[in-house]
Amino acid sequence: MSRVVVVGGGPAGLTVASLIRDRDVLLYEEHPRFGEPRHCTSIVGLYTASFFAKLLTPRVVKRGYKRFLFHTRLGSYLVEFSREVAFYLERPLLEEKLADKASRLGHSLQTGVRAKPLDTYSVRAGDGIVRFDRLVVADGSTGEFFRFFNGRRREYLYGLQALVEHEGGEDTIHVEYGVGGALFSWFVPIGDGLGLAGYLTERHVGDPGSAVKKVLGVAGVKYRRLLGFFGGVVVKPGQLSRPHIRGRVFFIGDALGLVKPFTYGGLYYVARLARVLVESLENPATYEREVKRLARLNSLERGFSGIGVPELAPPILKVVSSSGLFNPLDYDEHFRLILKTAASPLLVYLTLFKSVA
Ligand SMILES: Cc1cc2nc3c(=O)[nH]c(=O)nc-3n(C[C@H](O)[C@H](O)[C@H](O)COP(=O)(O)OP(=O)(O)OC[C@H]3O[C@@H](n4cnc5c(N)ncnc54)[C@H](O)[C@@H]3O)c2cc1C
């Protein structure tokens, strides 16, 4: 049977491994346990939450959110939807379930082993050289395979967050723009009196403790204790890898580099692309087409995120949600929000006109 080597046991590598049948898969993860150390906040939209719930178990989706409070220099905006539009994924349960599924297919998942790039036929792993028929590069945002195969370095953004014991406010996600020089910051209640408070910046912040306290202060969240910090880096949007190299080496997840321009999330693109990649192992043009299609939409969204001040996003979201045009899937597909923003004044007018008539 032909052999697929997967480098990286994060959500991207494990999802791909859990979907491959009729081939041998050998997956390498450099850390001793899947899903650790943790770096992600784990907030996703309906498409991504449904994808993982169907693939694994509904238990990987811990909870959903309808209420968002945006804090901007122009004021605070509460946006409330009639249905849950954002969801919190349970980690490392997600990685554990993906690893179980891949193992049950007979695949070999090796933890504590770092792979190194050699060429389009083999990698170095542990003490040996391992040959492959296909290589799936899923080594995250800072992995060395991107540099090796694309011949350049990437620029990053830095995300840091604290697990917080807090009081009240269990149902609202807070999003802030421009606090303490951060691109944006957040407080996400995750249940049982715990929440995640964090921020994304262009460069490291000297004292994460006081930065997180500032985030909590602006959000007006009362907290008892900061229980610990974790974080990582995000690829700056717009620095894509080639989707594949000669139909032998495929990139996915942060290694591919598709990141949502408003929230900087990457899990949506894993959910969108994992199955397409697996189905394209013999026909890379299909994968390339889908990556390019998503990249075009992503670049349209980036164009809009670049021209407006981010402070304009919440009032726009409020208009779209009150026009009744919002569909929960729009959380992941911002280009739909942009189109609906353009259409909503007209539709609100037509609705009013119809009801008066
Ligand atoms: C602070 C922060 C908050 C975030 N919040 C969200 C969010 O709310 N929603 C969202 O959608 N996205 C979020 N993201 C982004 C999200 O975490 C990534 O898009 C997602 O983890 C990508 O999955 P991945 O498998 O490609 O990469 P990773 O999760 O980084 O996994 C890559 C794995 O490869 C392993 N590895 C690397 N090199 C090697 C090697 N040479 N050999 C063997 N193993 C190797 C690493 O140890 C790692 O386990 C956030 C990111 C950060 C930093």
Side-chain angles (χ1 to χ4, degrees), residues 155-207:
E155 285 175 51
Y156 301 112
L157 300 171
Y158 301 88
L160 197 122
Q161 56 202 328
L163 181 66
V164 179
E165 208 179 287
H166 71 107
E167 291 170 16
E170 271 298 345
D171 60 350
T172 307
I173 290 186
H174 294 259
V175 180
E176 299 157 6
Y177 292 104
V179 174
L183 291 167
F184 84 106
S185 33
W186 58 89
F187 173 74
V188 175
I190 60 173
D192 309 320
L194 298 176
L196 295 172
Y199 54 86
L200 194 73
T201 52
E202 300 255 10
R203 59 194 161 75
H204 282 297
V205 168
D207 176 6

Side-chain angles (χ1 to χ4, degrees), residues 8 10-12 29-31 39-43 113 115 139 253-254 265-267:
E29 165 54 47
E30 65 183 336
H31 289 106
H39 55 264
C40 180
T41 315
S42 289
I43 293 297
V113 181
D139 59 348
D254 283 2
L267 295 171

Side-chain angles (χ1 to χ4, degrees), residues 4-18 25-31 33-35 95 98-99 102 108-116 123 125 135-141 143-145 250 252-255 270:
V4 180
V5 165
V6 179
V7 178
L14 287 169
T15 306
V16 168
S18 76
V25 174
L26 191 48
L27 180 146
Y28 296 110
E29 165 54 47
E30 65 183 336
H31 289 106
R33 285 193 59 185
F34 294 117
E95 283 86 347
L98 286 169
S108 166
L109 312 183
Q110 302 192 7
T111 51
V113 181
R114 183 170 174 86
K116 293 207 147 275
V123 291
L135 175 68
V136 175
V137 177
D139 59 348
S141 50
E144 62 180 302
F145 282 71
F250 292 75
I252 189 162
D254 283 2
V270 172

Side-chain angles (χ1 to χ4, degrees), residues 77 79 81 262 304 308-323 326 334 337-342 344:
Y77 300 85
V79 182
F81 298 97
F262 288 92
F304 276 89
V309 276
E311 281 87 346
L312 290 181
I316 286 172
L317 201 57
K318 223 173 153 64
V319 171
V320 178
S321 71
S322 60
S323 72
F326 187 83
H334 293 141
L337 276 181
I338 292 162
L339 294 177
K340 287 178 180 180
T341 305
S344 56

Side-chain angles (χ1 to χ4, degrees), residues 114-320:
R114 183 170 174 86
K116 293 207 147 275
L118 280 179
D119 50 40
T120 53
Y121 293 89
S122 50
V123 291
R124 187 179 292 283
D127 294 332
I129 290 177
V130 180
R131 287 185 70 80
F132 54 77
D133 298 288
R134 298 289 181 270
L135 175 68
V136 175
V137 177
D139 59 348
S141 50
T142 54
E144 62 180 302
F145 282 71
F146 172 84
R147 230 175 14 253
F148 182 85
F149 283 111
N150 290 273
R152 61 195 156 92
R153 287 179 177 278
R154 275 174 159 155
E155 285 175 51
Y156 301 112
L157 300 171
Y158 301 88
L160 197 122
Q161 56 202 328
L163 181 66
V164 179
E165 208 179 287
H166 71 107
E167 291 170 16
E170 271 298 345
D171 60 350
T172 307
I173 290 186
H174 294 259
V175 180
E176 299 157 6
Y177 292 104
V179 174
L183 291 167
F184 84 106
S185 33
W186 58 89
F187 173 74
V188 175
I190 60 173
D192 309 320
L194 298 176
L196 295 172
Y199 54 86
L200 194 73
T201 52
E202 300 255 10
R203 59 194 161 75
H204 282 297
V205 168
D207 176 6
S210 53
V212 163
K213 285 176 188 164
K214 208 178 270 174
V215 170
L216 290 163
V218 174
V221 172
K222 289 202 182 96
Y223 65 95
R224 292 194 192 100
R225 285 190 293 162
L226 305 187
L227 298 170
F229 291 90
F230 60 97
V233 302
V234 175
V235 176
K236 247 190 189 174
Q239 303 178 86
L240 223 61
S241 160
R242 288 191 271 169
H244 69 90
I245 292 165
R246 283 187 240 132
R248 294 186 59 83
V249 178
F250 292 75
F251 290 80
I252 189 162
D254 283 2
L256 176 67
L258 267 177
V259 178
K260 290 203 286 177
F262 288 92
T263 60
Y264 302 90
L267 295 171
Y268 168 65
Y269 293 108
V270 172
R272 274 271 168 205
L273 287 169
R275 194 163 268 130
V276 187
L277 189 160
V278 170
E279 288 165 2
S280 308
L281 287 169
E282 289 307 323
N283 181 16
T286 312
Y287 187 61
E288 184 160 350
R289 248 195 323 275
E290 186 58 6
V291 170
K292 285 190 172 157
R293 188 185 73 81
L294 292 173
R296 270 196 303 277
L297 294 173
N298 182 277
S299 134
L300 174 82
E301 294 166 359
R302 262 187 295 124
F304 276 89
S305 76
I307 52 173
V309 276
E311 281 87 346
L312 290 181
I316 286 172
L317 201 57
K318 223 173 153 64
V319 171
V320 178

